[in-house]
Amino acid sequence: MMSTLRQKEAPALPKNPDATAKTPVWRHSHILDVDDFSPQEIELIFSTTDAMKEVLSRPIKKVPALRGKTIVTLFYEPSTRTRISFELAAKNLSADTVHLSTSASSVTKGESLIDSLSTLQALGANVVVIRHSQSGAPYLAARYLEASIVNAGDGWHAHPTQALLDLYTIREHKGKIKGLKVVIIGDILHSRVAHSNIWSLTTMGAAVTLCAPPTLLPAGLGHEQKHFPKVSLEPDIERAVESADAVMTLRLQRERQQSGLLPSLREYVQLYQLNESRLARAKPDALVLHPGPVNEGIEISPGVAHGPQSVIDQQVANGVAVRMALLYLLVGGKSI
Amino acid sequence: MKPLLIKGSRIVDPAQGIDDTGSLLVSDGVISWLGKKGDTSPSADSDIIDAAGLVVCPGFIDLHCHLRQPGFEEKETIATGTRAAAKGGFTTVCCMPNTIPPLDSQATVDYVKSTAVEEGVIRVLPIGCVSKGREGEELAEMAELASAGVIGYSDDGNCVVRSRLMRRALEYSWGFGRPIIDHCEDTTLTEGGQINEGIIATRLGLQGIPNAAEESMVARDIALAELTGAWLHVAHVSTAGSVELVRRAKAKGIKVTAEVTPHHLTLTEEKVLGYDTNAKVNPPLRSQADVQALIQGLNDNTIDIIATDHAPHTEEDKLCEFGFAPFGISGLETALGSLMTLMHQGYLSLNTLVAKLTSEPARIIGDEHGQLGTLAVGAPADITIFDPEQEWVVDTRHFASKGKNTPLADSRLKGKVMATVYGGNLVYHDNALKLKTKG
């Protein structure tokens, strides 16, 4: 069952003048991370997403592009939002969807992943959307499965579809990504969302500033090196958000305090909560993003979360369109 | 058995300070004659190995490997592990006691020794536990273990975490002339850690293992060695800071020796990119700066020896999510080839390399098990013959070890073992070796 990564032909592009003008080639068999995406590929995803949004605005939000294809969501970690978003995306493209979830407690050994994968292989899945608590699990899947793998979040490593929908949302409002200042605040260390955002934002030419307690920052950042994009570090939230174009706060898991990374939630709120007065230091039209689910009153004040600059609900809505675009690009298909 | 003449080679024996062209004769399991170029062999009737262009040196000694028997025979056995060792040019291996049951008693040590005699192909010298059951609570019966012939004590795989137990172990071992071999790791700093802490861990979203987790324990152990006057041997040194700590301890006259593995000398954390579980090892592969410091430490004798820490695992063990995979690299069969890349790149002289695999580990073992690590006349005929120039591709399907877990799979190495002689018997030879047998 061992298979090498296949290189797929670029599928027919959706009708979009911007995309066809550049005709970039889609070369990915899997979406494991965004660290090897070129700016052109990300633009292609955006223009495909534009086309998908047009589909979603129709009275009947369904196209036959992936009819007869089977898309499996294989979740080793509980998730409602991401899974539903993928399922809706697949259904809108007329694919058949199957959901498989495994409780975290039963996954103590790797065999179960390999076992599940061989079952899915035998059942003829075309795309497997995988969410896993272990970083790198989708890479293992991609090595042993014929199907295309979409990483729906692996450990602390990557959450490419979330990052792409974040970028798409920013682009929708700002018209571009290049040259923007984007600030990411919170638990960067454990955040696959932050990691994928750093990669894709810097690929598209944004400047990224990270703001976090030093215990929640991963090692080795803040200077030029080969294996990670260049980011700025600013532990002081007020300085960090100064003249920002977009501010993203991350969910703070309560267990971070229990495991000794923070003295108290109270102190975290005092130092790192995005509230109205801090947001006022950003540009007046700065966007507020959050990958959800939001801990209101912890990493973000309710007023900011629901305020005029918040695009949190649009992120969710755009998630379906971005995932439709990615599934479409991966599996190919007929015209939409 | 007919004498064996090994002819026309470059003979390298750091114990005697020899690096010269010559020949040697093996009779009755010992080295019976060592001749210079042009000398005539005293035996007219012998089997002959034509070793022109090859290096002949004492059989390699590995002070740190895992043979997995008893308890983990699916990973390795004494039979397969010693064959892997012979293929790698080793004639003596010291096996770690983290078996099930662990080697914390005369009975288990005797079991390993007798199995090695019956099923193995080279010399196996066990290492005994520091603590009963390797549990880190109470001292093992170290005197009994000494009389059973262990070459040292270690709870390897685990660090001796409790400082008081480490102190007692050092004190108690003092009379036996054997080292306490510590796997230095502050587990409160490494819990959950997968790979070296740094930008690669950040990129892969894996929890890091900081250099300080090793260095803080090396520093503690050195302080306790100084306190007790006993002999500390630091296993698998992997960081620049540890090298510096050992260097300063030696300068101060503290009785400390240290080892480094071929993988820590030649590979960096970048090997893990792509989530290769075969590059997951403890201590982890570190940065280029650490590798440079290790090489320097080896060259200035801060680090006494090279030891493989051969840690075989099954393919199933390693075929899983990175975080679930066990630590360890199967290293016996690639040791020479990877070390020779350092020689070819000019980082290490051939003499230093051979000394760190022969005369230096022999010094740590002592003379209790015979005159090891030398080609001196009268010494056991433990001999390794290798081709320093031959290039080969690592093909794990041809490993004698059950452990195919190496990040060097499919790599091209330069330097290949051509034959291994143990106690006068040819226990391994490459098919390309020119061997003439008479009668």
Side-chain angles (χ1 to χ4, degrees):
Chain A
M1 73 184 236
M2 234 179 260
S3 68
T4 51
L5 299 183
R6 293 146 303 134
Q7 295 293 311
K8 290 188 180 176
E9 294 296 316
L13 293 171
K15 286 183 189 125
N16 181 312
D18 290 342
T20 45
K22 292 172 200 160
T23 61
V25 177
W26 178 259
R27 62 187 170 91
H28 295 280
S29 314
H30 309 282
I31 296 168
L32 302 175
D33 195 358
V34 281
D35 60 356
D36 59 345
F37 277 48
S38 66
Q40 293 74 25
E41 286 169 325
I42 292 176
E43 283 296 346
L44 173 61
I45 293 165
F46 290 162
S47 57
T48 311
T49 304
D50 290 340
M52 294 302 169
K53 281 202 82 162
E54 188 272 315
V55 168
L56 291 176
S57 69
R58 294 177 192 172
I60 297 170
K61 304 175 178 49
K62 202 157 180 139
V63 286
L66 301 188
R67 182 181 286 162
K69 305 289 186 186
T70 303
I71 294 176
V72 178
T73 50
L74 176 62
F75 275 53
Y76 286 86
E77 256 187 2
S79 155
T80 319
R81 303 153 58 103
T82 304
R83 181 169 67 79
I84 289 174
S85 182
F86 269 108
E87 279 191 26
L88 272 177
K91 289 191 161 112
N92 290 341
L93 294 169
S94 304
D96 297 313
T97 61
V98 180
H99 176 63
L100 219 90
S101 71
T102 312
S103 72
S105 60
S106 70
V107 188
T108 48
K109 281 236 157 204
E111 283 88 334
S112 58
L113 175 59
I114 297 286
D115 287 350
S116 304
L117 293 174
S118 2
T119 308
L120 297 180
Q121 179 89 329
L123 291 172
N126 300 98
V127 178
V128 177
V129 177
I130 180 168
R131 153 82 52 111
H132 203 290
S133 62
Q134 292 292 318
S135 298
Y139 289 75
L140 180 68
R143 278 206 297 277
Y144 294 97
L145 207 62
E146 295 289 340
S148 289
I149 303 295
V150 177
N151 183 358
D154 64 324
W156 306 351
H157 170 242
H159 196 345
T161 62
Q162 176 72 42
L164 290 166
L165 76 87
D166 292 342
L167 263 73
Y168 184 82
T169 306
I170 295 171
R171 171 185 173 270
E172 215 173 27
H173 285 268
K174 301 286 173 195
K176 58 167 189 172
I177 307 284
K178 193 171 178 162
L180 298 182
K181 176 184 176 181
V182 181
V183 184
I184 306 178
I185 304 166
D187 184 0
I188 314 286
L189 175 64
H190 301 96
S191 177
R192 51 197 175 208
V193 174
H195 289 176
S196 290
N197 264 291
I198 292 167
W199 277 104
S200 46
L201 284 166
T202 51
T203 300
M204 298 309 284
V208 176
T209 298
L210 305 180
C211 177
T215 48
L216 295 179
L217 267 182
L221 298 180
H223 53 89
E224 197 79 51
Q225 32 72 39
K226 188 169 133 199
H227 292 289
F228 207 79
K230 190 179 168 202
V231 292
S232 311
L233 303 180
E234 178 47 69
D236 182 287
I237 189 169
E238 295 183 349
R239 277 203 293 270
V241 298
E242 196 74 54
S243 66
D245 296 287
V247 183
M248 179 184 299
T249 57
L250 301 170
R251 182 179 169 80
L252 183 81
Q253 307 278 358
R254 280 160 204 278
E255 70 212 47
R256 304 303 170 218
Q257 191 266 320
Q258 286 147 15
S259 61
L261 291 161
L262 294 171
S264 69
L265 284 180
R266 180 175 157 271
E267 191 158 294
Y268 183 82
V269 168
Q270 282 173 356
L271 292 175
Y272 294 100
Q273 185 187 77
L274 184 66
N275 57 27
E276 288 82 347
S277 66
R278 285 166 175 166
L279 182 60
R281 293 176 166 260
K283 286 192 182 148
D285 59 348
L287 303 174
V288 172
L289 297 99
H290 191 298
V294 177
N295 279 319
E296 277 181 33
I298 305 291
E299 67 266 9
I300 190 166
S301 71
V304 172
H306 302 288
Q309 288 166 265
S310 168
V311 292
I312 297 173
D313 289 338
Q314 289 165 53
Q315 287 175 272
V316 176
N318 283 339
V320 176
V322 165
R323 287 171 178 126
M324 284 170 74
L326 289 167
L327 291 173
Y328 176 82
L329 288 168
L330 267 185
V331 185
K334 311 270 167 0
S335 67
I336 54 171
Chain B
M1 198 172 64
K2 208 164 269 191
L4 173 68
L5 179 69
I6 300 170
K7 234 176 70 165
S9 63
R10 176 175 172 189
I11 295 179
V12 178
D13 182 13
Q16 300 186 82
I18 294 174
D19 181 359
D20 213 347
T21 307
S23 301
L24 65 82
L25 188 71
V26 171
S27 327
D28 303 321
V30 299
I31 292 165
S32 57
W33 173 79
L34 198 54
K36 288 201 165 156
K37 191 178 180 181
D39 292 354
T40 311
S41 162
S43 169
D45 181 31
S46 57
D47 294 337
I48 297 170
I49 291 175
D50 179 0
L54 306 180
V55 172
V56 171
C57 65
F60 299 152
I61 299 170
D62 186 9
L63 209 75
H64 188 150
C65 74
H66 298 271
L67 297 180
R68 304 293 192 208
Q69 189 178 354
F72 304 99
E73 287 82 353
E74 75 283 3
K75 294 178 193 280
E76 193 79 291
T77 62
I78 290 167
T80 57
T82 55
R83 280 166 180 79
K87 207 170 165 195
F90 293 89
T91 53
T92 300
V93 295
C94 304
C95 59
M96 280 294 173
N98 58 338
T99 48
I100 297 181
L103 310 187
D104 64 353
S105 68
Q106 167 113 32
T108 44
V109 171
D110 284 349
Y111 166 79
V112 168
K113 286 168 72 178
S114 63
T115 306
V117 169
E118 285 161 28
E119 298 170 18
V121 297
I122 58 158
R123 183 181 295 104
V124 174
L125 301 176
I127 294 164
C129 293
V130 169
S131 66
K132 286 195 185 85
R134 281 180 70 247
E135 286 170 356
E137 300 283 345
E138 297 172 37
L139 290 181
E141 292 178 328
M142 295 170 82
E144 178 181 282
L145 289 168
S147 67
V150 301
I151 63 108
Y153 306 93
S154 183
D155 279 356
D156 186 59
N158 296 340
C159 179
V160 180
V161 172
R162 286 164 198 264
S163 302
R164 182 151 66 173
L165 181 76
M166 186 63 182
R167 177 196 176 156
R168 298 302 179 218
L170 283 160
E171 280 175 335
Y172 198 81
S173 71
W174 187 78
F176 311 130
R178 305 279 90 229
I180 303 292
I181 304 170
D182 202 16
H183 163 123
C184 292
E185 175 183 351
D186 180 341
T187 50
T188 63
L189 284 172
T190 60
E191 196 185 346
Q194 302 289 328
I195 65 170
N196 187 42
E197 183 167 299
I199 202 65
I200 303 286
T202 296
R203 173 162 190 174
L204 295 175
L206 295 171
Q207 190 170 328
I209 298 174
N211 285 18
E214 174 175 311
E215 291 154 6
S216 60
M217 272 301 169
V218 171
R220 180 205 70 172
D221 283 357
I222 286 170
L224 293 174
E226 184 175 24
L227 174 70
T228 58
W231 179 6
L232 168 71
H233 179 80
V234 183
H236 43 54
V237 170
S238 75
T239 77
S242 297
V243 174
E244 189 50 35
L245 286 164
V246 172
R247 185 176 287 127
R248 274 189 265 156
K250 285 189 166 186
K252 233 175 148 183
I254 299 167
K255 193 164 170 55
V256 52
T257 51
E259 70 189 32
V260 62
T261 70
H263 49 267
H264 290 114
L265 282 170
T266 55
L267 306 175
T268 68
E269 57 191 330
E270 294 189 17
K271 272 282 173 198
V272 183
L273 287 168
Y275 297 98
D276 182 2
T277 56
N278 287 328
K280 181 176 173 179
V281 65
N282 188 17
L285 300 176
R286 302 283 190 185
S287 70
Q288 191 58 42
D290 292 304
V291 168
Q292 292 302 327
L294 292 169
I295 293 170
Q296 199 195 337
L298 199 62
N299 276 316
D300 69 15
N301 292 322
T302 299
I303 298 175
D304 300 82
I305 64 166
I306 297 168
T308 67
D309 194 8
H310 174 73
H313 290 290
T314 67
E315 284 175 83
E316 291 71 29
D317 291 335
K318 287 281 196 178
L319 178 58
C320 60
E321 294 89 329
F322 197 91
F324 295 150
F327 293 95
I329 289 175
S330 177
L332 284 168
E333 290 167 76
T334 54
L336 178 78
S338 50
L339 293 168
M340 284 298 286
T341 58
L342 291 180
M343 207 268 320
H344 290 298
Q345 290 164 1
Y347 289 115
L348 207 59
S349 74
L350 188 73
N351 271 275
T352 303
L353 189 159
V354 171
K356 300 292 182 184
L357 287 168
T358 61
S359 52
E360 294 301 315
R363 264 207 323 198
I364 289 174
I365 291 171
D367 53 12
E368 211 178 299
H369 304 276
Q371 196 181 358
L372 304 181
T374 176
L375 297 174
V377 171
D382 297 350
I383 302 162
T384 295
I385 304 173
F386 66 89
D387 184 339
E389 303 296 329
Q390 188 172 325
E391 293 190 30
W392 58 291
V393 174
V394 178
D395 183 348
T396 57
R397 289 171 305 177
H398 297 148
F399 270 17
S401 170
K402 287 190 182 184
K404 319 296 182 196
N405 48 306
T406 172
L408 293 173
D410 305 320
S411 302
R412 180 169 282 274
L413 301 178
K414 189 175 179 186
K416 192 167 197 284
V417 174
M418 302 306 286
T420 306
V421 176
Y422 168 63
N425 296 307
L426 194 59
V427 289
Y428 169 74
H429 71 92
D430 190 279
N431 291 331
L433 185 79
K434 288 175 200 152
L435 182 67
K436 278 185 233 164
T437 51
K438 291 193 175 175

